[in-house]
mmCIF file of all heavy atoms in Angstrom:
data_model
loop_
_atom_site.group_PDB
_atom_site.id
_atom_site.type_symbol
_atom_site.label_atom_id
_atom_site.label_comp_id
_atom_site.label_asym_id
_atom_site.label_seq_id
_atom_site.Cartn_x
_atom_site.Cartn_y
_atom_site.Cartn_z
ATOM 1 N N ILE A 849 -5.471 9.656 57.004
ATOM 2 C CA ILE A 849 -4.203 9.441 57.709
ATOM 3 C C ILE A 849 -3.121 9.136 56.678
ATOM 4 O O ILE A 849 -3.154 8.105 56.014
ATOM 5 C CB ILE A 849 -4.312 8.292 58.727
ATOM 6 C CG1 ILE A 849 -5.518 8.499 59.662
ATOM 7 C CG2 ILE A 849 -3.026 8.189 59.536
ATOM 8 C CD1 ILE A 849 -5.720 7.367 60.661
ATOM 9 N N GLY A 850 -2.184 10.073 56.541
ATOM 10 C CA GLY A 850 -1.097 9.908 55.577
ATOM 11 C C GLY A 850 -1.253 10.844 54.398
ATOM 12 O O GLY A 850 -2.257 10.788 53.687
ATOM 13 N N ALA A 851 -0.258 11.728 54.211
ATOM 14 C CA ALA A 851 -0.306 12.665 53.079
ATOM 15 C C ALA A 851 0.681 12.243 52.003
ATOM 16 O O ALA A 851 1.512 13.019 51.547
ATOM 17 C CB ALA A 851 -0.021 14.093 53.551
ATOM 18 N N GLY A 852 0.603 10.975 51.589
ATOM 19 C CA GLY A 852 1.323 10.515 50.408
ATOM 20 C C GLY A 852 0.386 10.631 49.212
ATOM 21 O O GLY A 852 -0.613 11.358 49.254
ATOM 22 N N GLY A 853 0.708 9.877 48.168
ATOM 23 C CA GLY A 853 -0.111 9.963 46.955
ATOM 24 C C GLY A 853 -1.553 9.538 47.191
ATOM 25 O O GLY A 853 -2.494 10.219 46.768
ATOM 26 N N ALA A 854 -1.749 8.418 47.881
ATOM 27 C CA ALA A 854 -3.112 7.907 48.072
ATOM 28 C C ALA A 854 -3.925 8.843 48.964
ATOM 29 O O ALA A 854 -5.082 9.157 48.675
ATOM 30 C CB ALA A 854 -3.063 6.500 48.674
ATOM 31 N N GLY A 855 -3.314 9.304 50.068
ATOM 32 C CA GLY A 855 -4.048 10.139 51.025
ATOM 33 C C GLY A 855 -4.446 11.472 50.424
ATOM 34 O O GLY A 855 -5.599 11.907 50.559
ATOM 35 N N MET A 856 -3.502 12.131 49.746
ATOM 36 C CA MET A 856 -3.850 13.440 49.182
ATOM 37 C C MET A 856 -4.865 13.290 48.051
ATOM 38 O O MET A 856 -5.776 14.115 47.912
ATOM 39 C CB MET A 856 -2.590 14.172 48.721
ATOM 40 C CG MET A 856 -1.717 14.595 49.907
ATOM 41 S SD MET A 856 -0.525 15.887 49.498
ATOM 42 C CE MET A 856 0.716 14.957 48.616
ATOM 43 N N LEU A 873 -3.717 14.008 58.240
ATOM 44 C CA LEU A 873 -2.641 13.933 59.229
ATOM 45 C C LEU A 873 -1.401 13.329 58.572
ATOM 46 O O LEU A 873 -1.496 12.325 57.873
ATOM 47 C CB LEU A 873 -3.052 13.040 60.409
ATOM 48 C CG LEU A 873 -4.394 13.339 61.064
ATOM 49 C CD1 LEU A 873 -4.600 12.413 62.271
ATOM 50 C CD2 LEU A 873 -4.499 14.790 61.476
ATOM 51 N N GLU A 874 -0.264 13.937 58.806
ATOM 52 C CA GLU A 874 0.984 13.432 58.213
ATOM 53 C C GLU A 874 2.069 13.443 59.274
ATOM 54 O O GLU A 874 2.360 14.474 59.865
ATOM 55 C CB GLU A 874 1.383 14.297 57.018
ATOM 56 C CG GLU A 874 2.783 14.013 56.481
ATOM 57 C CD GLU A 874 3.043 12.536 56.169
ATOM 58 O OE1 GLU A 874 2.277 11.938 55.401
ATOM 59 O OE2 GLU A 874 4.028 11.981 56.714
ATOM 60 N N LYS A 875 2.673 12.292 59.484
ATOM 61 C CA LYS A 875 3.631 12.234 60.596
ATOM 62 C C LYS A 875 4.986 12.846 60.268
ATOM 63 O O LYS A 875 5.722 13.239 61.163
ATOM 64 C CB LYS A 875 3.780 10.807 61.096
ATOM 65 C CG LYS A 875 4.620 9.879 60.255
ATOM 66 C CD LYS A 875 4.790 8.577 61.035
ATOM 67 C CE LYS A 875 5.552 7.548 60.261
ATOM 68 N NZ LYS A 875 5.704 6.307 61.018
ATOM 69 N N MET A 876 5.325 12.946 58.999
ATOM 70 C CA MET A 876 6.634 13.505 58.634
ATOM 71 C C MET A 876 6.531 15.036 58.498
ATOM 72 O O MET A 876 5.442 15.577 58.399
ATOM 73 C CB MET A 876 7.115 12.897 57.307
ATOM 74 C CG MET A 876 7.198 11.377 57.321
ATOM 75 S SD MET A 876 8.281 10.703 58.602
ATOM 76 C CE MET A 876 9.878 10.980 57.849
ATOM 77 N N ILE A 878 7.205 16.727 55.936
ATOM 78 C CA ILE A 878 6.778 17.080 54.580
ATOM 79 C C ILE A 878 5.779 16.046 54.078
ATOM 80 O O ILE A 878 5.740 14.916 54.580
ATOM 81 C CB ILE A 878 7.955 17.141 53.575
ATOM 82 C CG1 ILE A 878 8.776 15.852 53.638
ATOM 83 C CG2 ILE A 878 8.837 18.351 53.817
ATOM 84 C CD1 ILE A 878 9.724 15.674 52.477
ATOM 85 N N THR A 879 5.002 16.431 53.087
ATOM 86 C CA THR A 879 4.065 15.491 52.472
ATOM 87 C C THR A 879 4.811 14.657 51.423
ATOM 88 O O THR A 879 5.934 14.961 51.068
ATOM 89 C CB THR A 879 2.924 16.251 51.764
ATOM 90 O OG1 THR A 879 3.501 17.069 50.731
ATOM 91 C CG2 THR A 879 2.158 17.123 52.732
ATOM 92 N N GLY A 880 4.160 13.613 50.949
ATOM 93 C CA GLY A 880 4.718 12.896 49.784
ATOM 94 C C GLY A 880 5.090 11.449 49.997
ATOM 95 O O GLY A 880 4.985 10.647 49.082
ATOM 96 N N GLY A 881 5.560 11.103 51.213
ATOM 97 C CA GLY A 881 5.870 9.704 51.518
ATOM 98 C C GLY A 881 6.726 9.033 50.451
ATOM 99 O O GLY A 881 7.581 9.668 49.825
ATOM 100 N N ASN A 882 6.489 7.745 50.262
ATOM 101 C CA ASN A 882 7.209 7.007 49.225
ATOM 102 C C ASN A 882 6.825 7.486 47.835
ATOM 103 O O ASN A 882 7.568 7.277 46.878
ATOM 104 C CB ASN A 882 6.876 5.507 49.314
ATOM 105 C CG ASN A 882 7.818 4.773 50.244
ATOM 106 O OD1 ASN A 882 8.867 5.291 50.619
ATOM 107 N ND2 ASN A 882 7.443 3.569 50.614
ATOM 108 N N THR A 883 5.652 8.106 47.728
ATOM 109 C CA THR A 883 5.205 8.550 46.403
ATOM 110 C C THR A 883 6.239 9.479 45.777
ATOM 111 O O THR A 883 6.508 9.412 44.578
ATOM 112 C CB THR A 883 3.834 9.245 46.522
ATOM 113 O OG1 THR A 883 2.918 8.320 47.114
ATOM 114 C CG2 THR A 883 3.310 9.666 45.156
ATOM 115 N N THR A 884 6.847 10.344 46.620
ATOM 116 C CA THR A 884 7.852 11.266 46.088
ATOM 117 C C THR A 884 9.005 10.512 45.444
ATOM 118 O O THR A 884 9.641 10.994 44.522
ATOM 119 C CB THR A 884 8.412 12.145 47.230
ATOM 120 O OG1 THR A 884 7.332 12.814 47.832
ATOM 121 C CG2 THR A 884 9.400 13.170 46.716
ATOM 122 N N THR A 994 2.305 15.126 62.664
ATOM 123 C CA THR A 994 1.202 14.684 63.513
ATOM 124 C C THR A 994 0.954 13.210 63.213
ATOM 125 O O THR A 994 0.545 12.855 62.109
ATOM 126 C CB THR A 994 -0.057 15.528 63.221
ATOM 127 O OG1 THR A 994 0.282 16.902 63.412
ATOM 128 C CG2 THR A 994 -1.212 15.145 64.134
ATOM 129 N N THR A 995 1.247 12.372 64.183
ATOM 130 C CA THR A 995 1.203 10.923 63.974
ATOM 131 C C THR A 995 -0.090 10.337 64.517
ATOM 132 O O THR A 995 -0.365 10.444 65.718
ATOM 133 C CB THR A 995 2.394 10.246 64.689
ATOM 134 O OG1 THR A 995 3.590 10.877 64.237
ATOM 135 C CG2 THR A 995 2.460 8.765 64.397
ATOM 136 N N ALA A 996 -0.877 9.744 63.630
ATOM 137 C CA ALA A 996 -2.089 9.061 64.083
ATOM 138 C C ALA A 996 -1.672 7.829 64.868
ATOM 139 O O ALA A 996 -0.716 7.136 64.495
ATOM 140 C CB ALA A 996 -2.938 8.664 62.889
ATOM 141 N N GLN A 997 -2.388 7.587 65.961
ATOM 142 C CA GLN A 997 -2.011 6.451 66.801
ATOM 143 C C GLN A 997 -3.077 5.377 66.883
ATOM 144 O O GLN A 997 -2.788 4.204 67.006
ATOM 145 C CB GLN A 997 -1.690 6.953 68.207
ATOM 146 C CG GLN A 997 -0.447 7.834 68.204
ATOM 147 C CD GLN A 997 0.045 8.101 69.594
ATOM 148 O OE1 GLN A 997 -0.736 8.555 70.427
ATOM 149 N NE2 GLN A 997 1.303 7.835 69.856
ATOM 150 N N ALA A 1030 -4.233 5.861 54.744
ATOM 151 C CA ALA A 1030 -3.354 5.964 53.564
ATOM 152 C C ALA A 1030 -1.917 6.134 54.041
ATOM 153 O O ALA A 1030 -1.201 7.029 53.622
ATOM 154 C CB ALA A 1030 -3.781 7.127 52.688
ATOM 155 N N THR A 1031 -1.518 5.260 54.954
ATOM 156 C CA THR A 1031 -0.235 5.403 55.646
ATOM 157 C C THR A 1031 0.930 4.744 54.910
ATOM 158 O O THR A 1031 2.050 4.758 55.405
ATOM 159 C CB THR A 1031 -0.336 4.786 57.056
ATOM 160 O OG1 THR A 1031 -1.006 3.527 56.931
ATOM 161 C CG2 THR A 1031 -1.104 5.672 57.994
ATOM 162 N N GLY A 1032 0.668 4.154 53.753
ATOM 163 C CA GLY A 1032 1.752 3.526 53.009
ATOM 164 C C GLY A 1032 2.162 2.188 53.600
ATOM 165 O O GLY A 1032 1.472 1.621 54.457
ATOM 166 N N GLY A 1033 3.307 1.683 53.165
ATOM 167 C CA GLY A 1033 3.713 0.329 53.529
ATOM 168 C C GLY A 1033 4.609 0.261 54.753
ATOM 169 O O GLY A 1033 4.673 1.206 55.541
ATOM 170 N N HIS A 1056 11.155 5.586 52.348
ATOM 171 C CA HIS A 1056 11.349 6.756 53.223
ATOM 172 C C HIS A 1056 11.103 6.323 54.671
ATOM 173 O O HIS A 1056 10.443 5.301 54.924
ATOM 174 C CB HIS A 1056 10.424 7.914 52.806
ATOM 175 C CG HIS A 1056 9.052 7.842 53.385
ATOM 176 N ND1 HIS A 1056 8.540 8.823 54.196
ATOM 177 C CD2 HIS A 1056 8.088 6.902 53.303
ATOM 178 C CE1 HIS A 1056 7.319 8.489 54.577
ATOM 179 N NE2 HIS A 1056 7.020 7.348 54.033
ATOM 180 N N ALA A 1057 11.615 7.144 55.608
ATOM 181 C CA ALA A 1057 11.624 6.732 57.012
ATOM 182 C C ALA A 1057 10.222 6.533 57.604
ATOM 183 O O ALA A 1057 10.054 5.831 58.593
ATOM 184 C CB ALA A 1057 12.378 7.779 57.829
ATOM 185 N N GLY A 1058 9.214 7.123 56.982
ATOM 186 C CA GLY A 1058 7.858 7.029 57.546
ATOM 187 C C GLY A 1058 7.109 5.759 57.180
ATOM 188 O O GLY A 1058 5.984 5.544 57.642
ATOM 189 N N ALA A 1059 7.734 4.902 56.357
ATOM 190 C CA ALA A 1059 7.031 3.694 55.898
ATOM 191 C C ALA A 1059 7.182 2.584 56.931
ATOM 192 O O ALA A 1059 7.872 1.589 56.718
ATOM 193 C CB ALA A 1059 7.574 3.258 54.543
ATOM 194 N N THR A 1060 6.522 2.754 58.073
ATOM 195 C CA THR A 1060 6.751 1.840 59.189
ATOM 196 C C THR A 1060 5.542 0.959 59.515
ATOM 197 O O THR A 1060 5.515 0.310 60.550
ATOM 198 C CB THR A 1060 7.160 2.650 60.439
ATOM 199 O OG1 THR A 1060 6.275 3.770 60.554
ATOM 200 C CG2 THR A 1060 8.583 3.148 60.334
ATOM 201 N N GLY A 1061 4.546 0.972 58.649
ATOM 202 C CA GLY A 1061 3.427 0.045 58.836
ATOM 203 C C GLY A 1061 2.431 0.444 59.911
ATOM 204 O O GLY A 1061 1.623 -0.386 60.352
ATOM 205 N N ASP A 1062 2.429 1.722 60.322
ATOM 206 C CA ASP A 1062 1.523 2.154 61.405
ATOM 207 C C ASP A 1062 0.059 1.851 61.077
ATOM 208 O O ASP A 1062 -0.718 1.451 61.941
ATOM 209 C CB ASP A 1062 1.596 3.674 61.638
ATOM 210 C CG ASP A 1062 2.976 4.183 61.931
ATOM 211 O OD1 ASP A 1062 3.932 3.410 61.806
ATOM 212 O OD2 ASP A 1062 3.085 5.379 62.278
ATOM 213 N N GLY A 1063 -0.306 2.085 59.836
ATOM 214 C CA GLY A 1063 -1.712 1.920 59.438
ATOM 215 C C GLY A 1063 -2.156 0.477 59.578
ATOM 216 O O GLY A 1063 -3.308 0.197 59.940
ATOM 217 N N MET A 1066 -2.726 -0.134 63.268
ATOM 218 C CA MET A 1066 -3.970 0.510 63.736
ATOM 219 C C MET A 1066 -5.202 -0.246 63.243
ATOM 220 O O MET A 1066 -6.162 -0.451 63.987
ATOM 221 C CB MET A 1066 -4.034 1.962 63.231
ATOM 222 C CG MET A 1066 -3.119 2.903 63.963
ATOM 223 S SD MET A 1066 -3.394 4.630 63.470
ATOM 224 C CE MET A 1066 -2.332 4.784 62.062
ATOM 225 N N HIS A 1223 8.871 -2.568 47.973
ATOM 226 C CA HIS A 1223 7.419 -2.370 48.112
ATOM 227 C C HIS A 1223 6.836 -3.523 48.917
ATOM 228 O O HIS A 1223 7.200 -4.675 48.706
ATOM 229 C CB HIS A 1223 6.782 -2.342 46.718
ATOM 230 C CG HIS A 1223 5.347 -1.935 46.712
ATOM 231 N ND1 HIS A 1223 4.934 -0.643 46.478
ATOM 232 C CD2 HIS A 1223 4.216 -2.641 46.929
ATOM 233 C CE1 HIS A 1223 3.624 -0.572 46.543
ATOM 234 N NE2 HIS A 1223 3.153 -1.781 46.814
ATOM 235 N N ALA A 1250 -6.477 2.981 51.168
ATOM 236 C CA ALA A 1250 -5.987 3.006 49.789
ATOM 237 C C ALA A 1250 -4.470 3.104 49.774
ATOM 238 O O ALA A 1250 -3.865 3.649 50.694
ATOM 239 C CB ALA A 1250 -6.579 4.208 49.043
ATOM 240 N N GLY A 1251 -3.875 2.576 48.723
ATOM 241 C CA GLY A 1251 -2.432 2.695 48.519
ATOM 242 C C GLY A 1251 -1.670 1.532 49.124
ATOM 243 O O GLY A 1251 -2.207 0.439 49.316
ATOM 244 N N GLU A 1252 -0.414 1.783 49.446
ATOM 245 C CA GLU A 1252 0.476 0.694 49.851
ATOM 246 C C GLU A 1252 0.078 0.058 51.174
ATOM 247 O O GLU A 1252 0.510 -1.058 51.485
ATOM 248 C CB GLU A 1252 1.931 1.211 49.898
ATOM 249 C CG GLU A 1252 2.948 0.079 49.868
ATOM 250 C CD GLU A 1252 4.400 0.568 49.821
ATOM 251 O OE1 GLU A 1252 4.630 1.749 49.526
ATOM 252 O OE2 GLU A 1252 5.285 -0.266 50.084
ATOM 253 N N VAL A 1253 -0.732 0.745 51.963
ATOM 254 C CA VAL A 1253 -1.196 0.148 53.225
ATOM 255 C C VAL A 1253 -2.122 -1.047 52.962
ATOM 256 O O VAL A 1253 -2.336 -1.879 53.835
ATOM 257 C CB VAL A 1253 -1.911 1.219 54.098
ATOM 258 C CG1 VAL A 1253 -3.249 1.633 53.493
ATOM 259 C CG2 VAL A 1253 -2.128 0.716 55.521
ATOM 260 N N ALA A 1267 2.150 1.071 41.142
ATOM 261 C CA ALA A 1267 1.927 1.697 42.454
ATOM 262 C C ALA A 1267 1.216 3.029 42.277
ATOM 263 O O ALA A 1267 0.292 3.362 43.024
ATOM 264 C CB ALA A 1267 3.250 1.911 43.185
ATOM 265 N N ILE A 1271 -2.444 4.131 43.724
ATOM 266 C CA ILE A 1271 -2.758 5.226 44.646
ATOM 267 C C ILE A 1271 -3.748 6.214 44.045
ATOM 268 O O ILE A 1271 -4.611 6.721 44.750
ATOM 269 C CB ILE A 1271 -1.498 5.959 45.165
ATOM 270 C CG1 ILE A 1271 -0.673 6.552 44.043
ATOM 271 C CG2 ILE A 1271 -0.669 5.071 46.036
ATOM 272 C CD1 ILE A 1271 0.638 7.186 44.499
HETATM 273 P P1 ADP B 369 1.002 5.679 49.284
HETATM 274 O O1 ADP B 369 1.868 5.475 48.082
HETATM 275 O O2 ADP B 369 0.174 4.534 49.630
HETATM 276 O O3 ADP B 369 0.275 6.982 49.233
HETATM 277 P P2 ADP B 369 3.148 6.936 50.756
HETATM 278 O O4 ADP B 369 4.323 6.294 51.374
HETATM 279 O O5 ADP B 369 3.373 7.771 49.556
HETATM 280 O O6 ADP B 369 2.057 5.814 50.494
HETATM 281 O O7 ADP B 369 2.429 7.870 51.822
HETATM 282 C C1 ADP B 369 2.057 7.431 53.094
HETATM 283 C C2 ADP B 369 2.209 8.592 54.048
HETATM 284 O O8 ADP B 369 1.630 8.261 55.303
HETATM 285 C C3 ADP B 369 3.649 8.980 54.317
HETATM 286 O O9 ADP B 369 3.848 10.341 54.056
HETATM 287 C C4 ADP B 369 3.837 8.640 55.793
HETATM 288 O O10 ADP B 369 4.764 9.470 56.451
HETATM 289 C C5 ADP B 369 2.436 8.808 56.323
HETATM 290 N N1 ADP B 369 2.181 8.095 57.595
HETATM 291 C C6 ADP B 369 2.575 6.838 57.919
HETATM 292 N N2 ADP B 369 2.147 6.524 59.158
HETATM 293 C C7 ADP B 369 1.473 7.598 59.632
HETATM 294 C C8 ADP B 369 0.805 7.900 60.852
HETATM 295 N N3 ADP B 369 0.759 7.018 61.867
HETATM 296 N N4 ADP B 369 0.217 9.120 60.997
HETATM 297 C C9 ADP B 369 0.283 10.031 59.990
HETATM 298 N N5 ADP B 369 0.912 9.804 58.826
HETATM 299 C C10 ADP B 369 1.493 8.612 58.635
#
Side-chain angles (χ1 to χ4, degrees):
I849 308 178
M856 291 198 283
L873 309 184
E874 170 52 55
K875 77 172 177 180
M876 303 302 282
I878 52 166
T879 61
N882 271 345
T883 302
T884 303
T994 304
T995 306
Q997 294 192 307
T1031 45
H1056 85 120
T1060 46
D1062 304 8
M1066 285 187 273
H1223 189 96
E1252 198 176 345
V1253 70
I1271 59 185

